[in-house]
């Protein structure tokens, strides 16, 4: 595979942040007198910006001011929990270092805000491995729209045909296909193999060792 650039989703792809999202979401909903969403529903919605998914998780009836306050409370709890509840999947740090050593450019396109994304990567010790970060506040259209991937490709001066996007959600695969890059779905995150296979990725992998073999040749 002749790749110039490897692009990743963050949550559920590089890092296990599910517990952090569950803790922060449930605490925020309770503090705003809303029923706490079940953990499984929160994890299933990962990869969708909270500005969108919180409505379907039970906050649809809030007015704009109350909804903004809920988001702010969530972000406070998420930041507090991140240090102890976000972890790289085993093998990811080595994979990123190897890609850097091979001279591949790397980027992240995430549904979290860019500052939070950078902070999470810095905390995990992987920020230096990436050449571009694209957060939800850097685009007008969220995944599955291809805007985030297209923005990263432009920054990296990489043709779509020489890039791959790796993600754990159906929206990741849809975004990659729309952007014209190769797509790789991984099953250790939010969505299961059946749902991911239905999205028709170019590759469907079940562990990080398989991803290492694919990307490093």
């Amino acid at each position: 595979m002749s790749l110039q650039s490897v692009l990743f989703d963050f949550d559920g792809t590089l890092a296990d942040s599910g517990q952090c999202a569950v803790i922060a979401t449930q605490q925020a909903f309770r503090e705003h007198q809303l029923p706490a969403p079940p953990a499984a529903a929160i994890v299933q919605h990962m990869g969708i910006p909270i500005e969108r998914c919180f409505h379907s998780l039970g906050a649809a009836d809030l007015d704009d001011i109350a909804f903004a306050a809920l988001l702010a409370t969530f972000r406070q709890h998420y930041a507090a929990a991140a240090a102890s509840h976000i972890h790289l999947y085993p093998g990811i740090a080595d994979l990123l270092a190897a890609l850097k050593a091979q001279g591949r450019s790397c980027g992240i396109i995430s549904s979290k805000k860019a500052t939070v994304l950078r902070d999470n990567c810095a905390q995990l010790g992987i920020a230096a491995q990436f050449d571009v970060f694209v957060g939800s506040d850097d685009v007008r259209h969220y995944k599955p729209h291809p805007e985030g991937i297209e923005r990263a490709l432009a920054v990296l001066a990489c043709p779509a045909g020489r890039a791959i996007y790796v993600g754990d959600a159906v929206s990741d695969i849809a975004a990659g296909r729309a952007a014209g890059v190769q797509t790789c779905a991984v099953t250790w995150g939010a969505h299961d193999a059946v749902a991911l296979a239905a999205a028709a990725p170019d590759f469907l992998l079940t562990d990080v060792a398989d991803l290492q073999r694919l990307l490093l040749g």
Side-chain angles (χ1 to χ4, degrees):
M1 184 188 302
S2 178
L3 289 175
Q4 176 181 330
S5 300
V6 181
L7 307 176
F8 296 92
D9 173 54
F10 180 78
D11 297 293
T13 301
L14 299 176
D16 183 355
S17 56
Q19 189 176 10
C20 188
V22 169
I23 290 170
T25 301
Q26 291 182 339
Q27 287 180 333
F29 272 63
R30 290 190 187 105
E31 288 184 23
H32 288 265
Q33 290 74 54
L34 295 169
I42 296 169
V43 171
Q44 188 65 25
H45 281 79
M46 289 181 67
I48 304 172
I50 57 173
E51 292 86 352
R52 180 182 297 169
C53 74
F54 272 18
H55 288 291
S56 58
L57 286 172
D61 294 334
L62 297 183
D63 61 29
D64 290 346
I65 294 175
F67 190 70
L70 174 66
L71 299 183
T73 301
F74 165 83
R75 292 187 174 110
Q76 291 171 355
H77 286 302
Y78 193 94
S84 56
H85 291 92
I86 298 181
H87 311 281
L88 288 178
Y89 289 106
I92 289 295
D94 290 340
L95 170 60
L96 295 175
L99 288 170
K100 195 74 168 179
Q102 288 186 350
R104 309 286 180 86
S105 57
C106 292
I108 305 182
I109 298 93
S110 173
S111 295
K112 59 179 43 171
K113 288 188 178 295
T115 54
V116 177
L117 176 61
R118 289 175 180 272
D119 287 347
N120 288 167
C121 287
Q123 167 207 317
L124 295 170
I126 59 171
Q129 310 289 20
F130 293 97
D131 303 285
V132 61
F133 300 83
V134 180
S136 62
D137 50 336
D138 291 320
V139 297
R140 294 180 59 191
H141 306 289
Y142 304 138
K143 295 182 287 186
H145 195 280
E147 181 183 353
I149 295 174
E150 292 169 346
R151 181 184 179 96
L153 293 175
V155 171
L156 298 172
C158 178
R162 296 198 61 197
I164 189 170
Y165 186 48
V166 183
D168 69 304
V170 169
S171 60
D172 294 323
I173 305 310
R177 288 170 58 85
V181 302
Q182 295 184 76
T183 57
C184 177
V186 299
T187 63
W188 52 80
H191 290 183
D192 62 25
V194 174
L196 289 168
D202 295 296
F203 306 95
L204 178 63
L205 305 180
T206 59
D207 61 53
V208 176
D210 288 337
L211 184 60
Q212 291 172 330
R213 285 188 284 269
L214 173 69
L215 298 180
L216 299 176

